[in-house]
Amino acid sequence: MVTKYEVVAGDTLSKLAQRFYGDATLVPVIAVPNGITDPDEITVGQELLIPYITERHTVAPDETLSGLAQHFYGDGTLFPVLAAANHIADPNVIQVGRSLLIPELGDVGRHTVVAGETLWELARRWYGEAQLYPVISFPNHITDPDHVEVGRVLIRPGLNYRHTVVPGDTLRALAEDHYGNAEMFAMIAAANHIADPNRITVGQVLFFPNLTNF
């Protein structure tokens, strides 16, 4: 979830990036949406918006998706959530060293289904890909993704919106389209470890940090 944080003595943006994201290089993810031009200057008592970035986990030897689901969610049967979020066709095969996205299922939002909505459409709207519907269906115990009752309240798992780069895309244009502010391009670049924001490649998958709660 997006959080607000009040700066205390000794804080730096690199320390906060390490604390919240496990990666001190993600300073721009915090600096840009907070309008901080000099990352070395934050003041005690200053309130910062901490965007949400989906947690990642690097696969270790002997790990399985069901074991990871048990570890992160307390329920090994939720392994299809991990498989869907990471486009894993065979959940029995994961490579050591692979970086996996771990959707948030704990501190999540809620959505009330309205007429005409499907899990496919919600997955496309929330995450950028209709094929990610199992991320919604499994935590909500929906066995038939083609049928969801109007008025039903769904858990909305936390997972960053993703976009596959097409010809003509630029980070500035994507930032304007997604956030309504082209200057957020630097945040997208940092979150995706893009050294030169003027160079993105067709077919590259980009993840967009959340600036609002689910």
Side-chain angles (χ1 to χ4, degrees):
M1 292 286 283
V2 175
T3 60
K4 290 186 177 180
Y5 175 81
E6 185 174 307
V7 176
V8 299
D11 278 342
T12 65
L13 288 191
S14 60
K15 287 181 180 178
L16 293 177
Q18 180 66 40
R19 182 189 311 173
F20 287 104
Y21 307 130
D23 186 346
T25 68
L26 295 182
V27 165
V29 174
I30 302 174
V32 173
N34 286 285
I36 298 172
T37 55
D38 184 349
D40 293 322
E41 291 195 9
I42 55 175
T43 58
V44 172
Q46 181 177 357
E47 187 174 75
L48 300 177
L49 176 74
I50 307 296
Y52 167 77
I53 292 182
T54 305
E55 182 178 356
R56 294 175 184 265
H57 172 79
T58 301
V59 177
D62 299 323
E63 285 188 326
T64 65
L65 284 191
S66 59
L68 290 172
Q70 181 66 42
H71 173 74
F72 286 104
Y73 305 135
D75 184 351
T77 66
L78 290 175
F79 71 87
V81 173
L82 299 177
N86 293 281
H87 295 295
I88 296 173
D90 184 350
N92 295 310
V93 179
I94 54 174
Q95 295 79 34
V96 172
R98 177 170 178 173
S99 178
L100 298 180
L101 294 165
I102 310 295
E104 174 63 51
L105 298 185
D107 188 12
V108 297
R110 299 289 189 274
H111 174 77
T112 302
V113 177
V114 299
E117 286 186 330
T118 66
L119 293 192
W120 299 80
E121 192 274 331
L122 290 175
R124 184 203 57 75
R125 186 196 313 168
W126 294 344
Y127 310 131
E129 293 183 13
Q131 295 87 345
L132 293 174
Y133 73 87
V135 174
I136 306 171
S137 65
F138 277 89
N140 286 284
H141 305 290
I142 297 173
T143 55
D144 185 352
D146 293 321
H147 293 88
V148 56
E149 304 87 0
V150 172
R152 177 168 180 172
V153 178
L154 300 177
I155 294 171
R156 179 179 173 177
L159 180 66
N160 290 140
Y161 185 91
R162 64 184 70 179
H163 171 79
T164 302
V165 176
V166 298
D169 277 346
T170 66
L171 286 189
R172 284 184 176 275
L174 291 171
E176 178 65 38
D177 181 64
H178 192 76
Y179 299 116
N181 183 352
E183 296 308 309
M184 293 293 179
F185 78 91
M187 179 180 67
I188 302 173
N192 290 277
H193 298 285
I194 296 172
D196 183 351
N198 295 311
R199 294 176 64 88
I200 54 176
T201 58
V202 172
Q204 182 177 1
V205 178
L206 302 177
F207 294 90
F208 293 73
N210 288 57
L211 296 184
T212 58
N213 285 328
F214 308 122

